[in-house]
Amino acid sequence: MKKKALWMLLTLFAMMVLVVAGCSSNDEANSEGDSDSQDTADSAEESSGGSDTFVFGRGADSEQLDPSKVTDGESIYVTNQIYDTLVRYEQEGTEVKPALASDWKTSEDGLKWTFQLRDDVKFHDGTDFTAEDVVFNFERWTEGAEYVYYGYMFGASEEDPGGIIEKVEATGDYEVTFTLSEPNAPFLNTLAMPPFGIASPDAIKKHGEDYFKNPVGTGPFVFEEWKQDDSITLSKNEDYFGETAKVDKVIFRVIPDNGARFMELQAGSIDAMNGMNPQDIQQAEEDDALQIIRRPSMNVSYMAMNTDKEGPLQDKKVRQAINLAIDKEKLLTLFEGIGKPAKNPMPPSLWGYNDEIEDYGYDVEKAKSLLAEAGYGDGMSLTLYTMSNPRPYLPQPKFAAQAIQEMLKEVNIEVEIVENEWDSHLSATENGEHDMAFLGWTGDNGDPDNFLYVLLDKDNAKKGSAGNIAFYKNDELHDILKKAQTELDQDKRSSLYKEAQEIIHEDAPWFPIAHTTPPLAVKKEVKNYIPHPTGSEPFNYLELN
């Protein structure tokens, strides 16, 4: 009867969203959208009146506009337009190309990297870009744990704030040299990540603690205005050293509900949107005024189990049982064709993926047996934290949480769902408040290290800034991942990462859910919109006809 009930629940979800297209799957989010509807309409009227303005609709606001302090895609989407990095990714992949640096070289031992910088770049505040500005930014990123990506990617800690970067020097007006304590294979690719966008030192000093809402970079767009929970407006950088933007303005509008956002796209008040309800994709494909663009898959969605919290989830058998008790195939019906089942914490599109691993599969009786062996045959109660807004890797988080809640009842696990707005969800999970929690990751640099080390190494299991929200700590895994960082032979690195995935699979700190090809719906008038696999792209290439 319970299996039948679950099927009925999933069917009901699908019917509800199909019949009430445009209505919120989240009453709270819907009521929030309703209360703001007049402001949203006014904003749309102001911002959608000409071909010189590109309006992008999204489900949540940015956390802040200092990219070095954020991990959320909503913030990076905006900062990617404002800042440049020393090097950048090619338009459709993760091969590294020149940006603020025009050329670079490394020593034979991989410990010194020297970059020649452009001499024709200005920050948006009119100050010149020089090597000293690069030094200033890198030294700033060593000043505290709030610069989360610096810690994730360079192994910085309170005891060792510089991590693997021993020294950054201006060895000329337009030359900067990095000295590393050890070789780091992903180093060049890491420098292209948006969190390492170079900011104006003058602006940072001027705005102090308020810099996060007054960003100044060198990028193709200049920050103009931020109406929190409503919109962010950027204008074209007329003096950009790269390809000058084809549009005069970009406006990022917050429209929390997927259906409401799609209706605004159909009405023409926005030009593009992400976070689609899966069932709206076909409608968009059949609409002559719209086009669907699919982002290449380099992501994973997962349910992390907090191994640091005293209780049943510290037992590997319980975590394995939870993996066995969830019918992934049924869960993925909520993705309606945009997701493929995940069995590893990194996507199969990356080198080093271990396809030999067999997923746990769906086996309720085996799950019950493992729970009994662990001493939990009579059941338990757990919390499952979920975000209220859709994510590119998890389009219907609330429905997914409810489906897992029903599935785990089959093995006597009672699940309390805790639903939070995006910023509150990030804060709660980084601090380890949850038993289980949904989250996901879109790769930043095309390297397995960016998934396995950032999301599952003990170095990144620090409360308050955790990328590893399972708070999973395995010394053997740590040694393998650190060895892979210093190994410069990619074949050897690949073997190490495959070994790492075997350890993670056995310990089961996650229930891996899916890898998606996130769709964006875009008006036909928008040309040359090329989505990047890392989850965001600069808008200076697109055109409105």
Side-chain angles (χ1 to χ4, degrees):
M1 289 298 291
K2 289 183 179 178
K3 292 181 181 178
K4 182 176 180 182
L6 177 58
W7 270 115
M8 291 176 66
L9 177 64
L10 290 171
T11 303
L12 177 60
F13 288 162
M15 290 176 64
M16 285 170 62
V17 185
L18 282 167
V19 173
V20 196
C23 293
S24 177
S25 65
N26 181 332
D27 291 340
E28 184 178 344
N30 196 43
S31 63
E32 180 181 327
D34 289 342
S35 68
D36 294 339
S37 59
Q38 186 58 51
D39 291 341
T40 300
D42 292 343
S43 175
E45 186 175 343
E46 293 171 6
S47 63
S48 62
S51 62
D52 60 346
T53 299
F54 176 71
V55 186
F56 188 87
R58 57 195 185 140
D61 202 357
S62 301
E63 281 197 77
Q64 56 168 295
L65 300 179
D66 182 346
S68 62
K69 294 184 177 182
V70 294
T71 62
D72 70 298
E74 301 297 1
S75 297
I76 296 298
Y77 235 121
V78 180
T79 61
N80 214 2
Q81 319 305 324
I82 300 171
Y83 297 91
D84 289 302
T85 44
L86 289 178
V87 292
R88 64 174 177 82
Y89 302 124
E90 62 182 343
Q91 203 167 4
E92 297 185 62
T94 54
E95 184 180 338
V96 172
K97 302 289 185 182
L100 290 173
S102 56
D103 198 9
W104 55 89
K105 62 182 180 181
T106 184
S107 59
E108 281 189 23
D109 59 9
L111 297 181
K112 280 192 182 291
W113 289 80
T114 302
F115 293 84
Q116 303 301 321
L117 308 179
R118 298 182 65 106
D119 61 4
D120 59 348
V121 179
K122 287 185 180 293
F123 288 104
H124 299 154
D125 58 8
T127 57
D128 291 329
F129 164 74
T130 69
E132 290 292 350
D133 300 319
V134 177
V135 174
F136 176 92
N137 276 268
F138 273 85
E139 288 182 347
R140 171 185 179 234
W141 296 331
T142 68
E143 290 174 357
E146 67 267 27
Y147 300 104
V148 288
Y149 261 107
Y150 189 91
Y152 289 168
M153 303 310 300
F154 298 127
S157 65
E158 190 173 339
E159 299 76 25
D160 183 17
I164 63 166
I165 300 179
E166 286 191 343
K167 191 164 47 176
V168 185
E169 301 171 280
T171 45
D173 289 344
Y174 296 98
E175 181 181 275
V176 65
T177 300
F178 293 80
T179 302
L180 309 185
S181 60
E182 60 187 32
N184 184 264
F187 184 72
L188 187 63
N189 276 58
T190 296
L191 293 181
M193 289 167 52
F196 302 115
I198 303 299
S200 162
D202 284 9
I204 291 170
K205 294 170 186 175
K206 175 182 176 181
H207 295 289
E209 292 184 359
D210 286 335
Y211 177 73
F212 76 94
K213 53 185 177 183
N214 296 280
V216 178
T218 63
F221 291 93
V222 179
F223 172 75
E224 269 195 22
E225 182 183 33
W226 186 2
K227 297 178 182 177
Q228 291 196 334
D229 297 319
D230 178 22
S231 64
I232 294 174
T233 301
L234 312 178
S235 59
K236 175 168 64 174
N237 179 4
E238 298 283 3
D239 299 319
Y240 188 50
F241 68 87
E243 185 163 342
T244 307
K246 311 295 191 300
V247 295
D248 291 336
K249 287 185 184 293
V250 170
I251 298 176
F252 291 88
R253 278 192 49 208
V254 178
I255 308 168
D257 180 67
N258 286 7
R261 202 177 319 119
F262 184 56
M263 289 174 67
E264 292 223 31
L265 180 68
Q266 291 175 305
S269 56
I270 62 176
D271 298 300
M273 64 169 281
N274 62 7
M276 296 189 71
N277 283 329
Q279 68 281 352
D280 288 336
I281 298 171
Q282 183 176 355
Q283 190 175 350
E285 289 175 333
E286 294 172 353
D287 190 326
D288 291 338
L290 302 177
Q291 55 181 317
I292 287 290
I293 301 174
R294 294 182 184 272
R295 186 178 302 285
S297 181
M298 196 168 72
N299 61 29
V300 64
S301 57
Y302 59 90
M303 183 180 75
M305 290 173 267
N306 191 341
T307 64
D308 188 55
K309 205 171 186 180
E310 189 171 345
L313 293 177
Q314 291 186 319
D315 192 317
K316 177 174 72 174
K317 289 181 179 179
V318 173
R319 301 193 301 267
Q320 291 174 338
I322 288 172
N323 270 269
L324 288 161
I326 300 173
D327 189 337
K328 195 173 296 184
E329 185 178 332
K330 288 182 183 176
L331 188 62
L332 260 68
T333 62
L334 297 172
F335 288 68
E336 299 200 19
I338 69 167
K340 294 184 177 181
K343 62 181 180 180
N344 291 321
M346 57 182 274
S349 57
L350 289 188
W351 57 269
Y353 180 80
N354 191 339
D355 203 27
E356 299 300 313
I357 288 174
E358 290 188 17
D359 205 357
Y360 278 93
Y362 177 54
D363 191 332
V364 170
E365 293 309 313
K366 188 174 179 181
K368 288 179 178 178
S369 176
L370 282 173
L371 290 172
E373 288 177 27
Y376 294 99
D378 294 333
M380 68 187 76
S381 297
L382 299 171
T383 58
L384 171 54
Y385 279 51
T386 180
M387 67 291 282
S388 59
N389 60 299
R391 304 301 301 150
Y393 44 74
L394 192 61
Q396 301 187 88
K398 183 176 181 178
F399 286 175
Q402 290 174 333
I404 287 177
Q405 182 184 50
E406 288 297 312
M407 292 174 187
L408 292 183
K409 281 183 182 178
E410 293 273 352
V411 293
N412 297 319
I413 298 177
E414 294 296 323
V415 174
E416 176 192 354
I417 296 172
V418 180
E419 184 180 23
N420 286 314
E421 295 298 317
W422 180 233
D423 56 349
S424 298
H425 181 71
L426 290 177
S427 176
T429 54
E430 286 174 357
N431 282 284
E433 296 175 15
H434 58 288
D435 293 326
M436 305 183 295
F438 284 154
L439 211 57
W441 190 257
T442 299
D444 294 297
N445 62 8
D447 196 290
D449 175 78
N450 185 242
F451 283 86
L452 302 183
Y453 178 74
V454 171
L455 302 179
L456 286 158
D457 190 79
K458 68 178 185 178
D459 283 351
N460 296 319
K462 302 177 182 72
K463 286 186 177 177
S465 62
N468 174 1
I469 68 161
F471 296 90
Y472 167 60
K473 300 168 186 175
N474 183 301
D475 290 337
E476 182 186 6
L477 175 69
H478 174 75
D479 291 343
I480 290 171
L481 294 179
K482 294 301 289 184
K483 185 177 180 181
Q485 287 178 342
T486 60
E487 175 57 65
L488 301 181
D489 184 300
Q490 184 167 310
D491 288 339
K492 292 178 181 177
R493 293 187 73 210
S494 183
S495 296
L496 289 167
Y497 288 129
K498 289 179 179 180
E499 185 179 351
Q501 288 163 79
E502 290 172 2
I503 294 170
I504 294 164
H505 177 76
E506 172 65 22
D507 283 351
W510 285 7
F511 171 73
I513 300 173
H515 308 292
T516 64
T517 49
L520 298 102
V522 182
K523 286 163 64 173
K524 279 281 174 66
E525 291 86 352
V526 177
K527 306 296 182 187
N528 205 33
Y529 189 111
I530 301 175
H532 199 267
T534 57
S536 64
E537 44 281 334
F539 288 164
N540 52 317
Y541 299 104
L542 64 83
E543 301 178 57
L544 295 176
N545 294 332

